[in-house]
Amino acid sequence: MAERLIEVKGLKVQFATEDGIVRAVDGVDFELSRGQVLGIVGESGSGKSVTAMTLLGLTRDRNTRFEGEVLYKGRNVLGMNEGELQEVRGNEMSMIFQDPMTSLNPVYSVGAQICEAIQIHERADKSTARRRAVDLLKQVGIPNADSRVDNYPHEFSGGMRQRAMIAMALACNPDVLIADEPTTALDVTIQAQIIELIDRLKDEFNSAVILITHDLGVVAEIADEIIVMYAGRVVERAQTRDLFYDPQMPYTWGLLGSIPRLDRPKQERLHSIKGTPPSLIRSPTGCKFRPRCPHAFDKCMEEPPLENRVETPGHLDRCWLSVAEKRQLRERTLSGEEAA
Amino acid sequence: MISFVIRRLIGALLVLIAVSFITYLIFVKIPGGDPAFRIAGRTATAQNIEDIRQKLKLDAPFYEQYWAMMKSLFSGSLVSYSSQLNVVDQIKAGIPATFSLCIGAAIIWLFFGILVGIISAVTAGRWSDRVITVMALIGISLPVFWLGLMARYLFAQGHPFAFMPDGGYVPFTSNPWGWFTHLLMPWWVLAILFIGFYGRVLRSNILDTINEDYVRTAKAKGLPYKRVMVKHVLRNSLIPIVTLFGLDFAAVIGGSAILTETVFDLKGVGWYAAQAVQDLDLPPIMGVTIYATFFIVLFSVVVDLMYAWLDPRIRPT
Amino acid sequence: MTKRSRLTRVVGVLALLAALAFLAGCGGGGNKSSSGSSGGSSNSGKTYPVLRVIWDAPDYMDPQLYYTVAAYQINNYVWSGLLGYKHAAGPAGAQLVPYLAESMPKISADGKDLKFTLRKNLHYSNGAAVKASDFKYSIERAFKMDSPGVGFFSAISGVSGANGFATTKKGHITGIITNDANRTIELKLDHPEGDILYILALEFAHVVPSGTPASDQSTHPIPSTGPYMVQSYQPNRGFTLVRNPHYNNQIPTEPSGNPDKVVGTIITDPVAAYQRVVSDKADYDFQPVPNDRLPEAQSKYKDQLRIYTNANTYYYALNNAIPPFNNINARKAVQMAIDPQAIISGVYGGLGRPTENFLPPGYPQYKKIDAWHFDLAKAKQLVQQSGTAGQTVDVYGPNEDPSKANTEYLAGQLTKIGYKPKLHLLSHAVYFQTIGNQATKAQAMFTDWYQDYPHPIDWFDTLLNGNRIAKIHNNNVGNVNVPSVNKEIEALKKITTLTPDVNNRWAKVDSDLMAKYATTVPYMNRSSTDFFGSKVDMSCYTFSVVLYWDWGLSCMK
Amino acid sequence: MATESTTDFTLDTAAALAAAEDEGAIEGKSPWYLAWRRLRRNYVALAFLFVFVAIVVLCLCAPLYAHHVAHTGPNTGHLGETFTRDGQQVPIVSKGGFQNGQFHAGGIPVGPQLWHAGGKYVLGADNQGRDVAVRLLYGGLNSLAIGIGSAVICTFFAMVFALLAGYYGGKTDWIISRFFDLIWAFPVLLLAIALGTALSINGFHHFGINIKSGSLWIPTLVISYVLIPYIGRPLRGQILSLREKEFIEAANSQGASSLRVMFSELLPNIASSILVFFTLIIANNILTEAGLSFLGAGVQPPSPSWGTMIADGQDRIATAPWLAIIPGIMIVLTVLSLNVFGDGLRDALDPRAKVRMEH
């Protein structure tokens, strides 16, 4: 068993806003070990990004309340003071953000922004840091890294910026790399390259990766385990294979249905999950997905627990439907018969 | 870069010409304001007036008059209609007072504006922020001349609390301490509006910037709070302040300090302008307008260059 | 903001022109006085290091150009003419004495030829000798500079006419003949000019070195001949006078002055000016003490405050030529609608004395008029009688206080008696040009007049003679035109000797114009202040009718 | 791997919808409603709105006050008159002059009487014996009329210019932008004073427009003219960025007329900015008017405005300080209430506002 790096237990994150308390994360558990890739999937507002940022203590605020534990190598991140957190951030856990356009400071050169972390965490001098920055840029595949290191973010293309972000994240050899929608803002061919890059670097740097996305397709290739989140809750959790071949939640089906696949009949239009994500202030009673679920029935007024219901151990879900019913309904859904 | 500067400078020159021409048009048709009569005085003979008319080309078409006036202005020989004092000399004589006032006030307002903005942004929502917000709003709601009047009345004019000298300008070269004490009140009076204004602008810039993705990135890199605030938040929030400052500074140097100078009897360029307007004296009005416009266009070019220097995105390549 | 009226001497100088014919006889009064009498009064010789004054901005510091009191009062100790005024308190100060000239001139019987001789060993402050030809140069310089004063010199031969110097500005004025070796100056006139001696005392005829550029030299002080010289002058900021190192008491008729140095700071804001003197940062406040500070000055600094009323009259001009004020009842109504005490208190803080005369008190021709009194009800009734009630009246005044408030008062009273006044407040720069233009059709106007020369002609001929109404540059702004009075003025103008009978006839002109025909509304002789710092010895205070406060005679405790 | 045709990801649409508002309860409500909801909770802003409205109403009552309470007009001087206080005759302006050769300083107007004189001189008299309270209300009326009037004109023209420049672009934009640049390059206060002074002599009589010399239109137009680019520029910028947005292109491609696009597509999108600008520029204009009037280039006497009242009062600041203090406080109160309310309005309309006054 590889080293256990992260253990999240019963994490709840709540924001007090003028309209009421937003329960952004409402009970999340997972673990992550070295060399592992964990995918967290869900729509915007499902709490996946908040979960990721909480790992780094980035959601701390006067209006935020936390419950549960986030253990990094056994230390509770939620209880750390700012100084301890700063030691962890960038150095042991680092993060790649969604939009490379806005996530880089426009007024500093790319190199300077990579150097910053190195100088802070490793107390390296300027020239050492710079050499490291050039090396990192080479490693993430930036051509002419020697000269590009002095370029400003706006002089980079979108893909190159994301590569630079990755270089920045890896600058201090972190154990955990959290990638929050790293490909959303990029076009398709670049997306694949970035995912491959993350996969490769994970091995080179021997770290663990949490990959957050709304797109199951992105995580399919590289994730070992996938968590599907909805309205701040984990609604399904399984090994990647199991999730793709035997998804249990109707919500997961919806996510799967929106991926074009070669092994299914070509559809005119990819179907969607009807309706909008629920309010995190006044969330629906019972199963949170109930209002949007085509298969809801009276039992759904009570919230199902996250349990292992299928044969595979460790495959957990929150749905009252029997496994047989689910498999039947799922076939119809994914083949498009019930679409639209 | 050089062609950018040259282009901007040519544009600035065109603006100067246009501004001077419009000013000329505004004042050339003032009723009853025959300059020849004013120069000659009330004892003038017809011959006298005629001579002056010819000297000033007052019978020529207005564009020729305009051209003559601009020529004499730039050759430094333009004289006022009401006193025959050399306009350029008079503007030069006003510059020490105006610059002392404006530079001093600018230092105060920049320093305190930024200080106030930072304090209220980092304590956003707390009592210090609220107090500062209220003070800033009051600051930008005060008519500067009224504030000056009240300050003079309370602190300078034989009033029980009086401890300040009352109005006037003491040249730095003749008495540095007198210079300082005489300017202390005008500096603050002129600065208060800007402190309030800059404080508010900076506060909201900082609050906007704090929410920027790149600030989150900086935090995620594990940078200390102070470094994040200074190098990422403040550095970026100050860029618009620099622009604002350049334009405001040009405006006060260029005569927007008229009210402050008038209230405190500081004989700077603004005061000279106010006198000229009251006397309907075209040559000094032209002179001051061109002087002021010069600073405004100059600083707008400087601001553009500063902006490009501070924000690499708009640096011309 | 209060300003000492700039019109003070500007209008006075004009009056001189008008007085030319008359003064032939009496102007030469200086002849009789002994030329040797030193200006030295009892407080002469009490010298002290520095006099710090707060001053108003002089218009120029160039003798051929300046004409405001601010310039005149400070510079009468700097440049000098052939003749000048005696430095003495009160009316004696109006007496002419020889300055650069050895004595009063020899005047030919026909009055057309004047001969002067310069004193020996006269020097400018730069050490150069004063030459007789410098006088000629100075007069010609005035013409070349289009000086406002050149009108005074039109009687000198070779000035007027198509080929005169005033037109050509080439060659020389033939009527001035100088001889540097003999120090003689001969002045030839086209016609006798009784006033010529006073004209020669004017600043425009002060002597400057030959070769002084014929352009404004205010900021490049011209070498002086008097006891002081201008060391520096920064327009709108200040000036410094120091003793003329080459003076050597060369003009014995003029005191050599007590302060060794005069530092003038120009402050136009009367409050700031007052405050400087109160805080002893200055010894004298040229600006009038503002109404706002008068109660304080009067109670706390009573000894340092002097109040004087010089010869002036404030009056409202009513346009006699057009309705409604071509109607005598309408004009009488305005006279009764004005409460002088109210204006003096409210607008001038008490600094003024009510009057119904056009001539200021103190003139031999002055006979107090008491023809009407403030009565709004009666005024209203008169307006009704005149049938002009409800008419619009264009009221004109300057746009600066106190004249502004004064004009607003006039408009307010016109409303109260049944007119519809429309207020026009103008910049002083264009005010007199505007109301002096018939096209303006001003109906009621603020105006004032300060005497420069003590003669009724100065008042009645210039301001109220119907024969002198002009289309533009009109000084008879009310278009006062009473044919019988016009005739009497013309007759009196020719009479050169002021007998009691003549004085009575002038007094009748006054009462006819003011009371009988109610042409104009005089209401006040305005007073002004001299305010001194606590270090000034007030026992030396000397006030002359011509020179005002004589600062050269001041002394310190 | 999802490597093809991902443009139609419908989850994105859902995500966008969710991101717009986290709150289920307010789904489908218009942004104006949301703004109103936010504003309603901002008690400070509402309190100051109330202050402003109260000032406006008070000033509107000026004629009533003058007739029924003070019994005098705003321009009616009472020099030399007296009034009754507690049965005593009191001179409105103290007497001065020479009595028996002794000089007495005078001219000090009576101070605030509150209600001791039966509604007369509640706030005292000025140096011409005019009732300060009456002048304050009428002056407020003038100041507000100029402030609001010039704000309306200024905002309207700025909006039209911005719409034209932003919509047509090209040459139109170039001309309008240069026009903005030109006014921008002028020393604004100097220009305003110069225009105000020049026009106050004989009024404006060109191009078929006749404005008399004492007219309130002069300061109103002068102020609105010099401030046009201050609103016009930012609005133009907003419109330029809006133009790129799809719905405008959609409207264009559907053959909507330019006017329709401008007024029913572009205008509603900048309406909230215009509203905020409008509020804040009233405040700014009231200050500008006061400054102009203080220098004699604004409201012409005898008409009062708060600025002219301060100018008149400064000569009496030692003996009658209320003359300058009271109108000053009124200006501060009015401008402050507009600023606070404008601020609240901006926060309500656009919590992360980019609408900012460049003064």
Side-chain angles (χ1 to χ4, degrees), chain A residues 40-113:
Chain A
I40 301 181
V41 184
E43 294 167 291
S44 293
S46 62
K48 56 188 194 314
S49 290
V50 174
T51 306
M53 293 208 279
T54 305
L55 294 184
L56 280 178
L58 290 173
T59 47
R60 286 185 176 194
D61 187 77
R62 291 196 300 140
N63 297 321
T64 313
R65 270 194 315 211
F66 301 98
E67 276 174 49
E69 282 184 324
V70 174
L71 299 176
Y72 171 74
K73 291 185 179 171
R75 291 151 66 208
N76 190 358
V77 172
L78 297 181
M80 287 182 183
N81 63 26
E82 272 297 311
E84 290 169 325
L85 259 183
Q86 279 161 16
E87 280 305 306
V88 172
R89 286 178 186 160
N91 197 18
E92 308 196 54
M93 276 198 267
S94 65
M95 199 158 171
I96 304 166
F97 294 98
Q98 177 173 0
D99 191 351
M101 198 82 147
T102 56
S103 297
L104 288 168
N105 193 332
V107 305
Y108 296 112
S109 71
V110 170
Q113 295 186 57

Side-chain angles (χ1 to χ4, degrees), chain A residues 98-144:
Chain A
Q98 177 173 0
D99 191 351
M101 198 82 147
T102 56
S103 297
L104 288 168
N105 193 332
V107 305
Y108 296 112
S109 71
V110 170
Q113 295 186 57
I114 297 173
C115 291
E116 222 174 4
I118 302 170
Q119 282 172 284
I120 292 289
H121 291 299
E122 302 182 358
R123 308 209 153 63
D125 60 48
K126 250 189 179 165
S127 59
T128 319
R130 191 185 151 90
R131 252 177 287 128
R132 275 285 299 280
V134 174
D135 285 346
L136 283 161
L137 286 177
K138 277 182 190 156
Q139 269 179 295
V140 297
I142 304 260
N144 304 327

Side-chain angles (χ1 to χ4, degrees), chain D residues 54-116:
Chain D
I55 291 171
V56 172
V57 170
L58 261 169
C59 291
L60 285 172
C61 291
L64 288 176
Y65 181 86
H67 263 94
H68 300 292
V69 184
H71 304 288
T72 182
N75 304 332
T76 317
H78 296 283
L79 281 182
E81 295 176 25
T82 57
F83 70 100
T84 323
R85 177 178 64 198
D86 306 331
Q88 301 241 312
Q89 290 294 304
V90 180
I92 295 165
V93 174
S94 75
K95 275 213 165 79
F98 297 89
Q99 273 166 2
N100 308 325
Q102 270 301 97
F103 171 73
H104 298 278
I108 304 168
V110 289
Q113 300 297 307
L114 305 178
W115 294 103
H116 293 295

